[in-house]
Amino acid sequence: MAEAAKNLLDVDELVVHFPTGRAGQVVHAVNHVSFAIAASQTLGLVGESGSGKSTIGRAITRLIQPTSGHIRFDGLDVAKMTPAAFRPLRRDVQIVFQDPWGALNPRLSVRRLIEEPIALHMGMSASDRRAYADDVAKRVSLSTQLLDRYPAELSGGQLQRVCIARAIATSPRLIVLDEPTSSLDLSVRAEILHLLAELKRDTGVTMLFISHDLSTIKLICDKVMVLYLGSVVERGDTQDVFGNPAHPYTQSLLSAHLSADPRQKMNRHVLKGEIPSAIELPPGCNFAGRCPVALDTCSLQRPPLLPVQGGEHLAACHRISDGGNRLVLAP
Amino acid sequence: MTMVVTSATPSRVERIVNRVIGVSRRSVVASIGVVILSAFALIAIFGPALVGVDPVHPYLDAILAPPSGRFWFGTDGNGMDVFSRVIYGTRFAFGIALPAVAVSLLIGVPIGLVCGYIGGTIDEITMRVMDAVRIFPTIILALAVVAAAGPSLINVVLVIGILDAPVFVRVVRAEVLALRSSTLVESAVAAGNPTWRILFVHLLPNAIQGATAQVAVRAAWAVRISATLAFLGVGIQPPTPEWGAMIRQGAELMSGGQWWVAVFPGCALILLVFGFNLLGDGLQDILDPRRKVSAR
Amino acid sequence: MSLLQVDNLHTHFVTRDRDNQVRTATALNGVSFALADGEVLGLVGETGAGKSLTATSIMGLLRPPARIVEGRISFGGRTLTDMPPDELNALRGNEIAIVVQSPKTSLDPLMRIGDQIVRVIQAHRRMERTEAYQRALKMLAAVGIPDPERRAQALPHELSGGMAQRVLIAMALINEPRLLVADEPTTGLDVTVQAQILDMLRRLVSEMGMASLVITHDLGIVAHYCDRVAVMFAGRIVEIGPTAAVFGNPAHPYTRALIGSAPENFSLAAGRPGRGEPPNLYALPPGCHYVDRCPLADSRCAQMPPLVSVSAGHEALCHKATVTTHG
């Protein structure tokens, strides 16, 4: 999608397939996904298990090798780079994981963990590095007392701050966040989201925010992309997608969310069945098997990603043209 | 066990005692092992100075003398004091076991790290070589090497060390395989670590638990093997006071009723190996992350 | 008379550290509540609040170093806390059943799931295997597993997360318990699957007329599936009452903070929320445990807070809680 401003990240026809060990069989994790993120924007990637959202995050940060497609970071295609060639770029592309306990080496002190990316990319003297790490810790509201402790002594929220500190230490231009608050308690989630919003405001960093939690996405993302079984089903500005969801899956997903308010009546469409296997993709639309408004054509032809009402809100559904994509939500 | 040492303001001694009790509660087995090994270590260091009797001095007036007030463990066929020889022999036991294990670690751990992380053909080939080394009967190989290269201490240490390295390769590799796809490694890669740092800074300290527990077990094995080699006439030669050689000499005398020449070094050998094994078992228990120590 | 009555439950973890000193984690500090027949009570709180521990204490599944040090639990008039183990065994899986969070690790990996359900039946009923197997198949259908005859032959690793959770629910409900304890029953499952399972569970629970204790950290589940809710913090219930009352008029500062931290309830434009470090169970403050984080704390909080009756059936453990005249 050609945009007037230059995009920081441009993903074109990304395909990631994993071997299953059986000859001829692959897991179709990501199938021809294309999107772009403009500088300083936050794009949300929403989906359930098998949607490919985490895989996309790892492909962009080259923790896995894409099967085909292009990943252009500021114009430079990194999809086919060797790990060694990509390593210097890690200064500019960082990632925060879902599990802060698992992501931090328990044998290293918090200070050494924060200093690590600085030491790897920023060529400073030891004392400069120390002062710089103190500064980064302050920016994530991590008390300097904690710097000399070890991960086992910190709480989940504090550990995730350490992970964010590691991610921002080199002032990267793009940060991928893979479910950064899903393992944390409610009150801690709020703090971390506030922290991320502040970082966004103060540094203008571009973010790719991966989550299955719609209310979190709504809070922090400018644009959102909905994935199902490795393909994009809907994409656009957050208020468009949340306010006027076009794809039946998006509508169902939004309706399934339980609000923390008993007065709000549940108005849901409960989908039948489960997410099918990604090894043998159904022909036509991936969602046809569970879609309440599917027609015969839906199982035969893959729907293209087209604008819903002109503009930048896109969805991939055959029924949009005849208006049959609206789900009736029962209380 | 309800040992508790408390007082209003514990003195330094009380605190140390409490710390010892607290740590040993983690594993009684390991604690007993430590006690045994510490006793032997003290004997190895201070024993020879305290004994005063030359272990290779033949008392020609008391050949094959049974245990008495003068010779606590009796004398052997050359008239040498068995007690003094057992004490001096402790140095040889440690002097072979510990360096041999060190050799195994230095060879085995890096290979395990690299094979586990890199995988692929290198891993396959290396593991097949390791399997071959492990399958081969150790004694025969050790005999062959020592016979060819000479029965020196260094040769014995190297042979035992090299032959035992595959154990550490296997143990470290298994832990690295488990960690290879973990968030820990992903995070290290994402931060921009080169492979060598991932192996030695991030993987090694977290993949070493199995190897640590194995150290004591392999030390026990090394002591046994060196005693066996000496027993077979290879390795350390008499009149050097090494337990295996002593047992060899004493074995022939058992039927004649002179039991003390073989039994005392034999007991020492069993006890030391036992100590190492207890420590190894106990360490495996302690290092198991699922443990919780309850107060009873 | 209540089906389940928990009175002043105190559960501690007593260990010795490396310096041989006894350390006690006071994980439950006087938990009291009652559950009537057919009622669904939600137990909500953050990590370390003691929700799961309450369930394990009730079920009699505590292992050393955890022990109940004070308090009484009674079920259907019988006291559970001093019941001999074999009597407790007869109750568990029979009149009191539990569904836990990670189904894959709770199922026997080597036994087909149909057989596992039969095993639960035969542990508590005298029944021929063929009849038990038929009951198992019916239950599998009732929990929404398609093609039950074929699925009953499957091994746990062949099932998806949602399927495995349904099997666990089938095993829990097969002997028609009077009380179902559901500990984070849908955490980790996809949102769309979660909706299916919660609806199914609610329907079955109401059809079978059983009472249910639902433990979760998800406020949405509590808001829409529970009749009453109990909010826990540092081993105490700080607020309890009908769901609408507690959500509509939260009386305890922690409840307010918890509801306020749900993403749909806060805006990033508003200032930073207060710091929320988890309480240290080895050294809780005397009096109110929430005092270090509470924006309303004063000197009276150093004493044990009173249980204030805010409105009908709605109580809060805070001396600042005010009584509302209209519920």
Side-chain angles (χ1 to χ4, degrees):
Chain A
M1 306 289 123
E3 316 229 84
K6 185 175 175 203
N7 293 319
L8 181 64
L9 181 70
D10 213 312
V11 175
D12 192 22
E13 292 287 309
L14 178 66
V15 174
V16 182
H17 290 164
F18 295 114
T20 54
R22 286 223 196 128
Q25 263 192 2
V26 290
V27 176
H28 305 268
V30 179
N31 303 304
H32 302 280
V33 168
S34 303
F35 64 92
I37 316 181
S40 295
Q41 274 203 337
T42 300
L43 172 68
L45 235 54
V46 177
E48 298 179 296
S49 54
S51 59
K53 56 189 196 300
S54 280
T55 312
I56 293 177
R58 278 167 172 71
I60 289 175
T61 49
R62 290 307 313 273
L63 291 171
I64 57 179
Q65 167 100 13
T67 309
S68 73
H70 303 277
I71 302 173
R72 288 191 190 89
F73 179 70
D74 209 8
L76 178 65
D77 191 350
V78 302
K80 297 216 174 359
M81 273 186 171
T82 63
F86 189 75
R87 204 177 301 131
L89 283 174
R90 295 197 183 277
R91 181 191 178 138
D92 285 322
V93 180
Q94 270 298 332
I95 179 166
V96 175
F97 296 98
Q98 174 176 358
D99 175 16
W101 294 270
L104 298 173
N105 186 341
R107 310 284 188 174
L108 297 179
S109 70
V110 170
R111 179 180 295 285
R112 277 199 65 188
L113 286 165
I114 297 182
E115 282 185 12
E116 185 178 58
I118 305 172
L120 288 169
H121 296 282
M122 291 174 84
M124 286 179 175
S125 71
S127 51
D128 282 346
R129 212 163 45 223
R130 203 183 156 87
Y132 196 81
D134 280 347
D135 192 53
V136 174
K138 279 203 200 74
R139 280 167 58 197
V140 299
S141 303
L142 203 59
S143 140
T144 32
Q145 281 178 353
L146 294 175
L147 289 176
D148 293 311
R149 304 242 186 106
Y150 286 80
E153 303 171 71
L154 270 62
S155 70
Q158 289 166 329
L159 287 175
Q160 196 61 302
R161 286 174 198 277
V162 174
C163 291
I164 294 176
R166 273 165 65 88
I168 64 170
T170 55
S171 302
R173 297 169 61 196
L174 171 68
I175 304 184
V176 175
L177 299 117
D178 189 358
E179 308 261 19
T181 55
S182 304
S183 307
L184 305 174
D185 278 326
L186 267 187
S187 52
V188 179
R189 277 184 216 190
E191 290 173 35
I192 299 288
L193 287 174
H194 271 280
L195 172 61
L196 291 172
E198 260 176 38
L199 283 171
K200 188 179 156 185
R201 193 188 61 218
D202 296 340
T203 63
V205 67
T206 311
M207 294 201 283
L208 179 66
F209 196 98
I210 301 170
S211 178
H212 65 276
D213 182 31
L214 295 160
S215 38
T216 310
I217 296 263
K218 196 169 172 190
L219 266 184
I220 200 163
C221 299
D222 306 310
K223 295 189 190 284
V224 65
M225 195 161 93
V226 182
L227 293 160
Y228 186 81
L229 213 55
S231 303
V232 180
V233 300
E234 190 155 357
R235 187 171 93 204
D237 288 344
T238 306
Q239 66 244 45
D240 288 340
V241 175
F242 276 77
N244 182 25
H247 196 282
Y249 175 66
T250 316
Q251 294 172 50
S252 179
L253 196 61
L254 283 169
S255 77
H257 175 72
L258 293 169
S259 74
D261 182 358
R263 287 167 301 189
Q264 248 186 37
K265 292 261 167 276
M266 287 193 294
N267 228 356
R268 335 152 77 176
H269 181 87
V270 182
L271 286 175
K272 297 206 181 10
E274 296 196 340
I275 300 179
S277 146
I279 294 179
E280 290 193 30
L281 286 182
C285 175
N286 286 345
F287 189 58
R290 291 169 88 193
C291 182
V293 296
L295 300 174
D296 288 336
T297 32
C298 297
S299 315
L300 298 171
Q301 255 186 31
R302 222 150 246 277
L305 197 60
L306 295 172
V308 174
Q309 282 156 341
E312 294 180 13
H313 181 184
L314 308 163
C317 178
H318 290 305
R319 306 241 32 212
I320 295 178
S321 47
D322 65 28
N325 61 318
R326 294 271 150 237
L327 294 185
V328 175
L329 300 174
Chain B
M1 226 158 64
T2 50
M3 286 204 303
V4 165
V5 183
T6 50
S7 66
T9 46
S11 69
R12 193 170 162 79
V13 173
E14 278 180 318
R15 268 185 293 148
I16 294 177
V17 172
N18 272 332
R19 172 60 72 107
V20 169
I21 297 175
V23 173
S24 59
R25 284 181 79 102
R26 307 243 151 214
S27 167
V28 178
V29 165
S31 311
I32 299 177
V34 169
V35 166
I36 295 176
L37 291 179
S38 307
F40 273 104
L42 288 172
I43 293 173
I45 298 173
F46 299 113
L50 295 173
V51 159
V53 177
D54 186 350
V56 298
H57 176 89
Y59 290 90
L60 297 167
D61 59 326
I63 294 189
L64 291 177
S68 65
R70 188 177 164 209
F71 302 110
W72 291 352
F73 284 1
T75 58
D76 67 8
N78 295 321
M80 301 182 200
D81 178 21
V82 175
F83 179 70
S84 158
R85 288 172 70 77
V86 169
I87 299 290
Y88 272 79
T90 314
R91 287 193 170 175
F92 283 96
F94 274 111
I96 292 172
L98 299 181
V101 173
V103 167
S104 296
L105 276 173
L106 281 171
I107 298 177
V109 170
I111 295 180
L113 278 176
V114 171
C115 282
Y117 189 65
I118 296 188
T121 333
I122 297 182
D123 180 32
E124 288 286 343
I125 297 178
T126 313
M127 289 319 287
R128 299 295 80 78
V129 169
M130 293 295 134
D131 287 343
V133 171
R134 294 221 69 216
I135 290 173
F136 211 94
T138 321
I139 300 291
I140 310 235
L141 199 51
L143 278 173
V145 170
V146 169
S152 73
L153 189 63
I154 302 227
N155 285 345
V156 172
V157 164
L158 282 177
V159 164
I160 298 177
I162 292 174
L163 289 178
D164 226 8
V167 174
F168 289 105
V169 171
R170 185 170 46 90
V171 165
V172 169
R173 176 179 173 272
E175 291 197 54
V176 170
L177 280 177
L179 285 175
R180 188 169 63 175
S181 42
S182 67
T183 321
L184 174 64
V185 170
E186 279 190 315
S187 175
V189 171
N193 279 291
T195 308
W196 70 264
R197 268 187 66 96
I198 295 179
L199 287 178
F200 291 103
V201 174
H202 293 287
L203 279 174
L204 175 56
N206 292 303
I208 206 71
Q209 283 168 351
T212 311
Q214 280 292 322
V215 163
V217 176
R218 301 332 291 176
W221 190 84
V223 172
R224 258 188 53 228
I225 293 294
S226 82
T228 312
L229 288 178
F231 180 82
L232 291 173
V234 202
I236 317 291
Q237 298 298 319
T240 315
E242 200 266 351
W243 294 342
M246 292 164 70
I247 297 172
R248 177 183 199 226
Q249 200 200 49
E252 297 161 356
L253 296 165
M254 291 285 274
S255 46
Q258 285 105 357
W259 55 271
W260 54 91
V261 185
V263 166
F264 286 114
C267 285
L269 181 62
I270 292 174
L271 204 52
L272 180 62
V273 170
F274 187 52
F276 272 121
N277 276 324
L278 282 181
L279 180 59
D281 265 0
L283 277 181
Q284 266 173 337
D285 268 350
I286 293 179
L287 294 173
D288 180 356
R290 287 161 295 186
R291 260 176 73 90
K292 273 191 175 110
V293 182
S294 65
R296 285 275 110 191
Chain C
M1 191 192 58
S2 320
L3 178 67
L4 176 72
Q5 180 92 28
V6 177
D7 285 317
N8 197 27
L9 184 61
H10 289 257
T11 299
H12 291 180
F13 285 79
V14 188
T15 55
R16 278 191 194 276
D17 65 10
R18 284 164 62 207
D19 290 312
N20 202 32
Q21 301 306 306
V22 177
R23 299 195 70 210
T24 305
T26 53
L28 293 181
N29 300 297
V31 173
S32 302
F33 65 91
L35 189 62
D37 267 299
E39 188 178 27
V40 180
L41 172 67
L43 208 55
V44 85
E46 298 185 309
T47 317
K51 329 184 275 296
S52 287
L53 194 59
T54 306
T56 12
S57 301
I58 292 173
M59 304 280 293
L61 291 172
L62 291 180
R63 322 221 74 182
R67 318 184 2 237
I68 296 180
V69 300
E70 204 183 322
R72 194 168 162 273
I73 303 172
S74 55
F75 174 75
R78 297 147 72 184
T79 307
L80 296 183
T81 28
D82 51 28
M83 201 178 265
D86 39 333
E87 267 188 67
L88 267 178
N89 258 334
L91 273 185
R92 283 194 294 254
N94 194 9
E95 290 187 63
I96 308 180
I98 188 163
V99 175
V100 297
Q101 178 178 346
S102 28
K104 296 275 183 89
T105 51
S106 309
L107 291 169
D108 185 337
L110 297 177
M111 199 188 257
R112 299 183 198 281
I113 57 170
D115 296 334
Q116 295 196 42
I117 302 179
V118 167
R119 187 163 62 170
V120 174
I121 299 175
Q122 292 186 320
H124 297 283
R125 309 248 184 286
R126 323 199 77 189
M127 198 180 281
E128 287 294 322
R129 199 198 123 79
T130 30
E131 191 190 339
Y133 200 80
Q134 287 308 308
R135 285 191 92 190
L137 291 181
K138 278 179 69 181
M139 197 73 216
L140 286 176
V143 298
I145 290 187
D147 201 2
E149 287 86 13
R150 193 170 61 88
R151 294 295 184 139
Q153 298 292 319
L155 289 171
H157 71 266
E158 296 166 13
L159 302 171
S160 69
M163 288 287 170
Q165 192 63 298
R166 291 173 198 271
V167 170
L168 267 198
I169 292 173
M171 282 169 71
L173 298 181
I174 194 73
N175 287 328
E176 288 167 4
R178 293 174 67 189
L179 169 64
L180 175 69
V181 178
D183 190 350
E184 309 269 13
T186 55
T187 304
L189 298 176
D190 286 326
V191 164
T192 47
V193 174
Q194 206 177 98
Q196 296 170 353
I197 289 189
L198 287 171
D199 280 355
M200 172 267 289
L201 200 53
R202 175 165 57 186
R203 185 176 41 88
L204 287 176
V205 162
S206 118
E207 270 174 25
M208 293 166 112
M210 70 186 84
S212 182
L213 183 63
V214 178
I215 295 166
T216 179
H217 62 272
D218 185 332
L219 293 178
I221 294 182
V222 171
H224 296 279
Y225 287 92
C226 299
D227 306 318
R228 284 199 307 147
V229 59
V231 181
M232 285 190 76
F233 182 81
R236 284 192 183 142
I237 293 183
V238 297
E239 187 156 355
I240 186 168
T243 310
V246 172
F247 274 86
N249 181 27
H252 194 283
Y254 176 65
T255 315
R256 287 194 212 119
L258 197 61
I259 295 177
S261 63
E264 61 255 45
N265 288 341
F266 71 88
S267 100
L268 291 174
R272 280 272 195 98
R275 283 315 220 87
E277 290 316 320
N280 178 6
L281 295 174
Y282 286 97
L284 287 171
C288 178
H289 295 327
Y290 191 57
V291 66
D292 296 328
R293 280 164 63 170
C294 184
L296 305 175
D298 65 24
S299 54
R300 294 212 312 199
C301 302
Q303 282 139 32
M304 177 72 188
L307 191 62
V308 173
S309 184
V310 176
S311 67
H314 180 187
E315 296 170 326
L317 198 69
C318 179
H319 73 85
K320 288 251 164 76
T322 44
V323 179
T324 42
T325 41
H326 16 263

